[in-house]
Amino acid sequence: MTQRRPWALVLAVLAICFSGVPEAVAEPATAPEPVGYGQTRDIAVVPLPGQPEGMAVDPVDGSIWSGSNRPNSAADVWHWDSHGRLLDTYSLMDHEPAEHGVNGITLDGDGRVYALDYSGTRAVRIDPATGTQSVYATFANLPICAETVSTACEPSPVDRPAWPNWATFAPDGTLYVSDLNQATVWKVPAGGGAAEIWYQNKDFASIYSVNGMQFDSSGRLNFVVTMSLTPDISTIGRGVVYRIALDSNGSPGPLERIAVVAQGDGLAIGTSGRIYLPISNPLINSIQVVDPNNGSIVAELPTLADRVTRSIPYSTPASVAFRGTSLIVSNHGLLAIDPRQWAILELGVGETGLALHYPTGIS
């Protein structure tokens, strides 16, 4: 998930190229008054500090979780009911204002919330029943890979700190986390602790690297690299969707390229297998829909006119999560002047979401 970004550089690049672990449960039922295909409904304008980033929907009651990624501000996690009424706000403990705030958000089957915090490069677990917080996982600042480096390293020409950005649970309770800076997919064993490197690739090295992720119906981890900088005319400056199968030990298999898209941020998969990608390019501001069978973009929602002229225009949408036949969207509003553009929206897409995994009994 991206945040305050050097979009001048982005646009320049574009100009050049143009232990109980249950089975997955079904996504939550549609909220009252379903939204029609391609139509958008305003759910909530987020409170200050604004700039919502991560997105999760409770599979039981349809309530919504997001958080503020605004720079140099509190890292707040918000909880709304299914109609958009704010229920509670949780300020992440020991957060020091930094370049980014809250990134990805996911839930377990016991109702606990996992928020990725740029400050401290950590995952913070919140128990809404008690209000308590704890550090669930930490992510290492890796040195650049070089001949003199014999330890874990990042396959990048520039040394940058860890940026845990998106989290998704596997059926066995392992938490997989993308690193937007270090060209790395991390895994956190059930129960938490120091994250371990699961997969790295020098082709992921970028200004904005590995982002939204989800397992598909075949158990493959699907994810998007927001901006490819590989010397390939077909991908440079664009987003690339990949997937990796896991072997019987949970190790990564071969990397498969699914599609080339615009600058994808989050990711969600429908029951049809189609992949939904919020596009964070401020000149596009859409949700692109990809057919993984042939890599084609089969839809771009909503229409351009609706994106621009509606009550709250689409403004760098960051994350999406299914609720019924809709996507709940965090309208990040990276370049927004009007703070009302920092909002939660609901977009009708005409299908339900592929089941996520919500493990229970994680210590």
Side-chain angles (χ1 to χ4, degrees), residues 170-238:
D172 67 356
T174 302
L175 185 66
Y176 290 80
V177 178
S178 63
D179 192 322
L180 197 63
N181 270 350
Q182 298 189 125
T184 297
V185 177
W186 301 91
K187 70 174 183 178
V188 180
E196 306 166 7
I197 294 172
W198 182 72
Y199 184 84
Q200 295 178 309
N201 194 307
K202 62 181 178 59
D203 287 346
F204 298 168
S206 177
I207 303 167
Y208 308 113
S209 181
V210 190
N211 211 317
M213 301 190 302
Q214 184 178 337
F215 286 94
D216 63 21
S217 60
S218 297
R220 298 168 296 194
L221 185 63
N222 292 241
F223 56 90
V224 61
V225 170
T226 294
M227 177 181 290
S228 173
L229 293 183
T230 58
D232 181 340
I233 192 64
S234 68
T235 62
I236 187 168
R238 304 184 69 188

Side-chain angles (χ1 to χ4, degrees), residues 221-287:
L221 185 63
N222 292 241
F223 56 90
V224 61
V225 170
T226 294
M227 177 181 290
S228 173
L229 293 183
T230 58
D232 181 340
I233 192 64
S234 68
T235 62
I236 187 168
R238 304 184 69 188
V240 183
V241 183
Y242 296 97
R243 69 186 175 204
I244 302 177
L246 283 65
D247 67 18
S248 58
N249 297 317
S251 299
L255 180 71
E256 298 180 72
R257 191 173 91 178
I258 299 175
V260 178
V261 295
Q263 294 71 34
D265 200 325
L267 182 151
I269 302 177
T271 51
S272 67
R274 289 181 173 182
I275 299 170
Y276 293 78
L277 299 154
I279 302 302
S280 58
N281 184 328
L283 300 180
I284 298 177
N285 300 313
S286 68
I287 309 298

Side-chain angles (χ1 to χ4, degrees), residues 283-306:
L283 300 180
I284 298 177
N285 300 313
S286 68
I287 309 298
Q288 289 187 343
V289 187
V290 171
D291 182 343
N293 296 312
N294 56 25
S296 63
I297 298 173
V298 296
E300 190 153 13
L301 303 172
T303 66
L304 177 59
D306 287 345

Side-chain angles (χ1 to χ4, degrees), residues 33-314:
E33 301 176 8
V35 180
Y37 180 81
Q39 302 301 304
T40 304
R41 172 166 57 200
D42 300 339
I43 295 291
V45 173
V46 308
L48 292 175
Q51 287 194 322
E53 180 68 29
M55 176 57 60
V57 173
D58 190 294
V60 176
D61 60 17
S63 63
I64 299 165
W65 293 86
S66 189
S68 174
N69 194 242
R70 190 176 180 184
N72 302 312
S73 303
D76 286 351
V77 174
W78 303 297
H79 186 203
W80 294 271
D81 71 11
S82 61
H83 296 279
R85 293 183 288 260
L86 186 63
L87 299 173
D88 217 333
T89 299
Y90 303 85
S91 294
L92 295 190
M93 64 177 194
D94 302 325
H95 171 85
E96 295 184 5
E99 184 180 354
H100 307 284
V102 179
N103 296 280
I105 292 180
T106 194
L107 311 175
D108 68 19
D110 293 316
R112 294 173 298 187
V113 182
Y114 300 74
L116 300 180
D117 183 16
Y118 182 88
S119 172
T121 57
R122 58 189 185 157
V124 176
R125 182 163 69 183
I126 303 169
D127 186 345
T130 63
T132 58
Q133 299 184 29
S134 60
V135 175
Y136 183 74
T138 56
F139 304 86
N141 180 0
L142 302 171
I144 298 174
C145 294
E147 292 182 1
T148 57
V149 175
S150 59
T151 59
C153 59
E154 62 170 298
S156 172
V158 179
D159 187 15
R160 294 192 293 170
W163 187 351
N165 201 259
W166 189 278
T168 190
F169 278 110
D172 67 356
T174 302
L175 185 66
Y176 290 80
V177 178
S178 63
D179 192 322
L180 197 63
N181 270 350
Q182 298 189 125
T184 297
V185 177
W186 301 91
K187 70 174 183 178
V188 180
E196 306 166 7
I197 294 172
W198 182 72
Y199 184 84
Q200 295 178 309
N201 194 307
K202 62 181 178 59
D203 287 346
F204 298 168
S206 177
I207 303 167
Y208 308 113
S209 181
V210 190
N211 211 317
M213 301 190 302
Q214 184 178 337
F215 286 94
D216 63 21
S217 60
S218 297
R220 298 168 296 194
L221 185 63
N222 292 241
F223 56 90
V224 61
V225 170
T226 294
M227 177 181 290
S228 173
L229 293 183
T230 58
D232 181 340
I233 192 64
S234 68
T235 62
I236 187 168
R238 304 184 69 188
V240 183
V241 183
Y242 296 97
R243 69 186 175 204
I244 302 177
L246 283 65
D247 67 18
S248 58
N249 297 317
S251 299
L255 180 71
E256 298 180 72
R257 191 173 91 178
I258 299 175
V260 178
V261 295
Q263 294 71 34
D265 200 325
L267 182 151
I269 302 177
T271 51
S272 67
R274 289 181 173 182
I275 299 170
Y276 293 78
L277 299 154
I279 302 302
S280 58
N281 184 328
L283 300 180
I284 298 177
N285 300 313
S286 68
I287 309 298
Q288 289 187 343
V289 187
V290 171
D291 182 343
N293 296 312
N294 56 25
S296 63
I297 298 173
V298 296
E300 190 153 13
L301 303 172
T303 66
L304 177 59
D306 287 345
R307 283 176 247 159
V308 173
T309 64
R310 67 178 314 277
S311 56
I312 298 178
Y314 276 67

